[in-house]
Amino acid sequence: MPETRFPRRLMIVLIVAAAVLALLVGVGLYGLLLAPRSDPSPGGSSANDPPGSSTSAPSPGPSTPPVIRESDDPEAFARALATALFTWDTATEFGPTDYAQVIVDVGDPSGNETAGLASDVRTYLPTADAWAQLRTMQTRQWLDIDEVFVPDEWATALEQASEGQILPGTVAYTITGVRQREGIHGTEPVTSSHDVAFTVFITCEPTFDTCRALRLSELDNPLR
């Protein structure tokens, strides 16, 4: 009867809303689980990152967030994207949002993947609270890239995708490297190194004139 439909619909709406809220809370908790990647300890080191373990000369700290230049070369774009994703300096006036915007600015121009990409980027950056602590130690970060390659699992994904499911010119690159951090604890310089691996999904020609970022994998859970 009509008078019973409204309560049932209302109940369905409330259930869906509760599920969405639970999902958002889960995403928030998931971000906290990734906190060791943004550990505000001296130099950003974690229990697995021994001080003084940097394997290369520190890269110059940026006075502004990095810029990802337009490119129609997929691998070159993937490298630039990875570099920008890991490059930040708390000694500047910029914060996590500014560095995240660099990645979002080269995202899907249609906007279809913008929210997802922004969410992905946030898991790679320190939280606002962690950033404030890292700033007291003038911590900066950069990435030394080891390998950039198209993973075998991407070829499998292309084979199994239905027609029109993946935009023409879309490719995945898995990137391995070493996340480097440098900071000051008291008056002593502290450095740390941490192996990382991740996958970037980008779309280039013929869909877009220049390459664009679509999504990022979970850190240290790349396609192989």
Side-chain angles (χ1 to χ4, degrees):
M1 297 181 62
E3 56 269 26
T4 63
R5 291 179 182 174
F6 178 74
R8 177 174 294 181
R9 290 179 180 176
L10 178 59
M11 182 177 294
I12 292 173
V13 169
L14 291 176
I15 291 173
V16 172
V20 171
L21 178 60
L23 176 61
L24 292 176
V25 171
V27 170
L29 293 176
Y30 180 72
L32 292 178
L33 293 176
L34 290 178
R37 302 290 180 233
S38 304
D39 188 354
S41 57
S45 60
S46 68
N48 296 322
D49 293 334
S53 59
S54 177
T55 58
S56 64
S59 301
S63 57
T64 60
V67 175
I68 302 176
R69 301 188 183 282
E70 290 187 353
S71 175
D72 57 5
D73 183 327
E75 182 174 334
F77 181 78
R79 286 177 175 274
L81 185 65
T83 297
L85 184 62
F86 281 84
T87 301
W88 47 257
D89 189 345
T90 63
T92 68
E93 61 185 285
F94 304 101
T97 301
D98 301 298
Y99 289 100
Q101 192 62 47
V102 171
I103 308 299
V104 175
D105 284 345
V106 295
D108 177 8
S110 72
N112 291 334
E113 298 290 348
T114 300
L117 179 61
S119 177
D120 295 342
V121 174
R122 282 195 294 270
T123 67
Y124 281 75
L125 291 168
T127 63
D129 289 342
W131 188 271
Q133 295 181 56
L134 290 166
R135 177 167 277 172
T136 66
M137 292 172 277
Q138 301 179 42
T139 306
R140 63 191 183 93
Q141 176 180 281
W142 67 96
L143 178 67
D144 290 337
I145 296 176
D146 291 333
E147 290 185 282
V148 179
F149 60 92
V150 177
D152 292 339
E153 289 179 346
W154 178 245
T156 301
L158 290 177
E159 291 175 359
Q160 297 178 350
S162 58
E163 185 176 355
Q165 187 175 2
I166 297 178
L167 292 173
T170 298
V171 61
Y173 281 97
T174 290
I175 298 168
T176 65
V178 182
R179 183 205 71 185
Q180 306 283 9
R181 285 189 180 180
E182 177 186 73
I184 298 176
H185 185 213
T187 59
E188 296 295 323
V190 182
T191 61
S192 71
S193 302
H194 188 91
D195 292 337
V196 295
F198 55 99
T199 300
V200 299
F201 299 87
I202 63 178
T203 299
C204 302
E205 295 179 322
T207 297
F208 303 128
D209 292 336
T210 60
C211 295
R212 293 286 184 162
L214 292 185
R215 297 296 299 267
L216 308 171
S217 75
E218 178 186 0
L219 183 60
D220 293 334
N221 187 25
L223 296 184
R224 297 294 186 179

